[in-house]
Amino acid sequence: MQQENCSNSSQLNDALPVYKASSAVLAICFVLGVPGNLSVLVILVRRLKENSFTLRMMLSLAMSDLLTLLPMPMWIWSLLHDWIFGFVACKIISYVEYCCIYSSMLCVTFLSLQRYLQVLHPQKWAKLGTRGKNGLLCGIWILSGMFASYAPVQRDVGCDQHGFQYCYQHFRNKTEQVATSLFEILLFLTCFFLLVYFYYCLYRGVNESPFFSSNRMTKLVTRIVLAFFIFGVPVTIANILIVVAALLENEMLSVTADLGGKISTALLFLNSCVNPFLYTFSLRQLQRQSTVTETLGPTLQNGA
């Protein structure tokens, strides 16, 4: 289908600035995030012989972020022109991206759980053993694949409501749209509150120890939580607006929410650029913290 068969000039004039802004953000994500995550992968692969679960979790996170960012040129082209890559590519790329975004989200959440157990409850963490830890990693990818299963079903190539031929999310009815948005809202809120809870317990346990206090760790945890919140909240707000627009059957609000969703999704990809700096480049500090706190394990557990 050609663009001239889709275009509505008034809608295109309204939507084009948002599409250009989204494509600019995606371009920044690609230019910064791909080299950053590739560097992280090289560093982590060289250190895999250390047999550290933290390293394997960060490797999984870097792979998720890299796979999320690699299709960016295709999305940028489709935002500025049309989707020319076909129906099958639309579904496959959408599934891979959703799967990797959910995997990244779960990796970040499980890292907070892992740090909490390893530092404050090292004996419980040790009981998991190698099989249990590998099971956690496999579970993250299996859950991510399950969570993303709706993506290829809902993806279609055609004219979106702004007049572009696009690989877009097509809902059969309002119920499906509301259910999808509510699922994404619930998943983000669950991961965010778990992240905050485990890092808060870790922070409290470490800093209540009379032997050790780490301002660096406090700053690192604050940055992790803020990054997760800042990049995840716009998408959640857009989903809330989509639900409200669908329930009220407000077409104008629906168009606004859709445009806001495109920008917030582009911002979400920035998180894949920030993750290497927050986690891998802070790995030395986390490992130093782990060594000290594990030495003080019994004291910390009493303090917690």
Side-chain angles (χ1 to χ4, degrees):
M1 185 180 296
Q2 300 299 319
Q3 181 173 329
E4 53 265 29
N5 295 330
C6 291
S7 299
N8 179 300
S9 58
S10 61
Q11 286 183 323
L12 284 173
N13 290 334
D14 292 337
L16 197 55
V18 176
Y19 280 63
K20 287 183 176 180
S22 298
S23 63
V25 174
L26 294 181
I28 293 172
C29 293
F30 183 80
V31 171
L32 296 179
V34 171
N37 281 289
L38 282 174
S39 300
V40 165
L41 286 174
V42 171
I43 294 171
L44 294 178
V45 167
R46 289 177 179 175
R47 300 183 60 180
L48 278 181
K49 59 184 179 181
E50 298 176 19
N51 196 29
S52 166
F53 179 79
T54 301
L55 289 175
R56 295 200 300 272
M57 184 73 81
M58 289 184 174
L59 181 65
S60 179
L61 177 61
M63 289 177 60
S64 299
D65 290 336
L66 181 62
L67 290 173
T68 300
L69 295 171
L70 283 177
M72 289 300 99
M74 300 173 69
W75 294 118
I76 293 170
W77 177 270
S78 65
L79 282 170
L80 297 178
H81 303 283
D82 277 327
W83 181 267
I84 60 173
F85 308 104
F87 177 78
V88 175
C90 170
K91 289 184 174 291
I92 293 175
I93 293 173
S94 297
Y95 176 74
V96 171
E97 292 225 324
Y98 270 79
C99 182
C100 290
I101 289 173
Y102 288 142
S103 174
S104 179
M105 187 183 300
L106 291 175
C107 279
V108 170
T109 305
F110 272 83
L111 272 169
S112 67
L113 170 62
Q114 183 249 339
R115 298 311 301 172
Y116 166 74
L117 289 176
Q118 190 173 20
V119 172
L120 297 183
H121 303 283
Q123 293 180 344
K124 292 181 180 179
W125 177 250
K127 285 182 180 179
L128 281 176
T130 303
R131 287 188 177 181
K133 295 172 185 177
N134 290 336
L136 281 177
L137 278 174
C138 293
I140 287 173
W141 283 98
I142 292 172
L143 277 176
S144 302
M146 293 173 59
F147 289 160
S149 60
Y150 66 90
V153 177
Q154 294 178 347
R155 285 285 165 166
D156 198 4
V157 176
C159 302
D160 70 1
Q161 58 185 310
H162 308 295
F164 281 93
Q165 182 172 291
Y166 194 63
C167 172
Y168 71 105
Q169 200 168 17
H170 173 71
F171 299 103
R172 297 173 182 80
N173 50 58
K174 295 294 183 182
T175 302
E176 182 182 348
Q177 184 180 28
V178 170
T180 301
S181 296
L182 287 176
F183 168 75
E184 293 177 356
I185 292 169
L186 180 62
L187 183 61
F188 169 77
L189 291 178
T190 301
C191 288
F192 178 72
F193 284 120
L194 286 175
L195 180 81
V196 171
Y197 173 76
F198 287 121
Y199 273 130
Y200 170 74
C201 291
L202 176 61
Y203 164 83
R204 188 182 63 178
V206 169
N207 286 278
E208 284 183 357
S209 168
F211 300 101
F212 189 78
S213 179
S214 174
N215 290 327
R216 288 185 180 180
M217 184 179 181
T218 301
K219 292 178 181 179
L220 174 60
V221 169
T222 301
R223 287 195 293 266
I224 290 171
V225 174
L226 282 177
F228 194 90
F229 181 80
I230 290 170
F231 293 118
V233 162
V235 176
T236 304
I237 293 175
N239 276 322
I240 292 173
L241 290 177
I242 288 172
V243 171
V244 173
L247 294 177
L248 297 179
E249 298 183 352
N250 188 320
E251 190 64 29
M252 184 175 297
L253 181 58
S254 177
V255 172
T256 302
D258 180 73
L259 291 175
K262 284 184 170 60
I263 293 180
S264 61
T265 301
L267 290 174
L268 181 63
F269 289 127
L270 280 174
N271 198 35
S272 297
C273 305
V274 174
N275 280 337
F277 300 96
L278 281 178
Y279 290 91
T280 308
F281 297 144
S282 301
L283 178 60
R284 189 170 301 175
Q285 172 61 31
L286 284 171
Q287 289 181 326
R288 188 183 303 119
Q289 173 71 34
S290 178
T291 301
V292 176
T293 50
E294 285 173 12
T295 302
L296 300 173
T299 303
L300 289 174
Q301 289 185 53
N302 291 334

